[in-house]
Structure formats: C-alpha cells, structure tokens
C-alpha cells in the first residue's frame, strides 16, 4: 500500500518507536540532495561553483544534511531526457535517500512545461520530497498554495526559454540576410572580418581556388 507522508517521512514510521528511534527518523527528514545545472545556451547561468556555494550556505542555514549531489552541466533545462543527473536525482528521491532537493533556482530544477512538470514532480510528491531553492524558498508539492505558486513560476520560466529560442533564430536569420557569418569558425580559405562577413584568407584562398579549377 502507498505510504502517507508527513513532513517528509511516512506516518507509520513512529509506530512502536522509542524516543531515540523517533529522533533518528526525524533527523533523516533533514537529509537533502543538491542539484546543480547550467545550460550551455545561457550566459546568465550561475556557474556550477557559484551554485554549489549558495546551496551549501542554504543547507547550513536551514539545518539540512546534504547526503548526495547530482549535476547536469551544459544541458538545457527542457532537455530532460538527456539530463542523466536529474534522472538519478528522481530515482534516489523516490527510494527515500533524502527528503528535500536543494537548488539555486526553480529553473535549475527544470524549465518544463506544465504537462511535463507533473510527470517528473509526481514521483517526488508521492515520496514526500520537497524542493528548496536559494532564490524561491521552500516548495511543498503537497500544499495547494505552493503548487499554484510553483506552476505560475514554471509557466513563465518555460515561456522564457521558448522566447529565447525564437529570438536566437530571428537573430541568426537577420545576420544571414546581411551576409554575416554566424556558424562559428570560418571555413577554410576565409577569415571573419570586423563586420562578421567572410573575407578571403590571402594564404588559404588560392588553395581553394586551385582545387576547383
């Protein structure tokens, strides 16, 4: 049967417990996991080191014992299937290894749309696991007010990612129309000028011309 959780641990945990055992159960409820994520597509991300430092301070201030750390470096928040660290986090949370996930911000946990958010949050919610972020504070997914607040923020963060992608695509299209190079290194035979347009490289260009003669 499904357990009914109270403050991060099952209600039946106190049945026939001594005071010492009850204290151990309550201490276990302060176990937390830190989750670090930064996206290769965003220059606004805090570095992994900055996130770790902030989470460490949060744990010390709130009395958490960090028992595990999971990371996804260089992966977008909506590329959930590719986030191996996130999948390990979910698995460990469901198995009862910790009762709280610590993150820098809600968008570090993920930039899901509302449908996908339910898919990943539901197993943690059923296990009594909460989310505590440096920027947003504690979110209890079993609390209706916290649920509404989380979903409202999630809608905004997911839309930001969609708008960012559109703006990047629009910027690339405009650059191409003006003849600017936007694909990284210049191809062999060319250099990138100050105006971001390709100009012949005096040493390599003759080789390219000869190859096509």
């Amino acid at each position: 049967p499904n357990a009914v959780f109270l403050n991060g641990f099952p209600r039946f945990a106190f049945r026939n417990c001594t005071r010492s055992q009850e204290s151990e159960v309550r201490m276990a409820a302060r176990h937390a996991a830190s989750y670090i994520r930064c996206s290769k597509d965003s220059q606004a991300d805090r570095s992994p080191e900055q996130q770790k430092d902030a989470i460490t301070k949060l744990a010390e201030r709130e009395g958490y014992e960090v028992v595990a750390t999971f990371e996804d470096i260089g992966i977008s928040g909506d590329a959930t299937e590719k986030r191996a660290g996130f999948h390990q986090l979910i698995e460990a949370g469901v198995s009862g290894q910790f009762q709280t996930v610590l993150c820098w911000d809600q968008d570090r946990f993920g930039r899901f749309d509302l449908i996908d958010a339910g898919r990943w949050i539901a197993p943690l919610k059923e296990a009594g696991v909460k989310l505590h972020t440096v920027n947003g504070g504690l979110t209890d997914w079993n609390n209706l007010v916290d649920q509404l607040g989380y979903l409202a923020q999630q809608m905004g963060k997911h839309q930001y990612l969609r708008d960012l992608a559109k703006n990047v695509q629009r910027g690339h299209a405009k650059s191409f129309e003006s003849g600017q190079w936007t694909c990284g290194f210049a191809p062999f035979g060319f250099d990138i000028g100050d105006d971001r347009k390709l100009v012949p490289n005096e040493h390599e260009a003759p080789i390219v011309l000869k190859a096509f003669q």
Side-chain angles (χ1 to χ4, degrees):
N2 293 329
V4 179
F5 286 84
L6 176 64
N7 297 328
F9 43 84
R11 293 178 185 273
F12 61 70
F14 296 133
R15 292 179 183 172
N16 302 318
C17 279
T18 65
R19 284 193 174 183
S20 176
Q21 291 170 330
E22 179 177 333
S23 177
E24 290 179 4
V25 172
R26 291 189 179 279
M27 286 296 294
R30 303 306 294 173
H31 287 171
S34 64
Y35 179 65
I36 314 296
R37 185 187 67 77
C38 63
S39 170
K40 62 183 178 182
D41 298 321
S42 173
Q43 296 180 348
D45 281 346
R46 281 211 167 215
S47 71
E49 291 73 21
Q50 289 175 312
Q51 292 183 43
K52 290 176 184 176
D53 289 344
I55 290 172
T56 297
K57 292 178 181 177
L58 172 65
E60 292 175 350
R61 184 174 67 250
E62 300 294 335
Y64 291 115
E65 178 186 356
V66 177
V67 296
T69 298
F70 303 88
E71 298 183 356
D72 284 306
I73 308 302
I75 304 179
S76 176
D78 68 341
T80 311
E81 298 298 338
K82 300 179 180 179
R83 293 161 59 192
F86 182 78
H87 288 273
Q88 294 168 3
L89 171 79
I90 299 295
E91 183 178 348
V94 170
S95 68
Q97 295 183 30
F98 53 83
Q99 286 69 46
T100 308
V101 177
L102 306 181
C103 292
W104 160 252
D105 190 79
Q106 181 175 319
D107 60 12
R108 300 303 88 199
F109 184 74
R111 292 185 185 272
F112 330 101
D113 64 23
L114 296 186
I115 303 300
D116 287 338
R119 172 188 175 189
W120 300 109
I121 292 172
L124 296 178
K125 176 177 176 290
E126 290 298 319
V129 177
K130 303 178 180 66
L131 175 68
H132 200 152
T133 68
V134 174
N135 283 344
L138 182 65
T139 297
D140 181 353
W141 286 309
N142 285 292
N143 179 286
L144 179 58
V145 174
D146 285 4
Q147 287 181 18
L148 293 174
Y150 179 89
L151 292 176
Q153 290 189 54
Q154 197 65 24
M155 290 175 63
K157 293 178 183 296
H158 181 72
Q159 187 59 46
Y160 166 81
L161 197 63
R162 301 276 69 78
D163 292 343
L164 179 63
K166 291 179 181 178
N167 290 336
V168 169
Q169 291 175 352
R170 189 181 302 115
H172 280 305
K174 186 175 181 180
S175 296
F176 277 123
E177 290 174 0
S178 64
Q180 292 181 329
W181 183 256
T182 62
C183 299
F185 295 107
F188 184 82
F190 295 90
D191 292 323
I192 301 175
D194 293 337
D195 58 357
R196 299 295 302 172
K197 295 183 179 181
L198 295 178
V199 296
N201 180 289
E202 60 177 326
H203 300 293
E204 298 175 352
I207 299 175
V208 176
L209 290 174
K210 186 175 182 179
F212 284 91
Q213 289 177 350

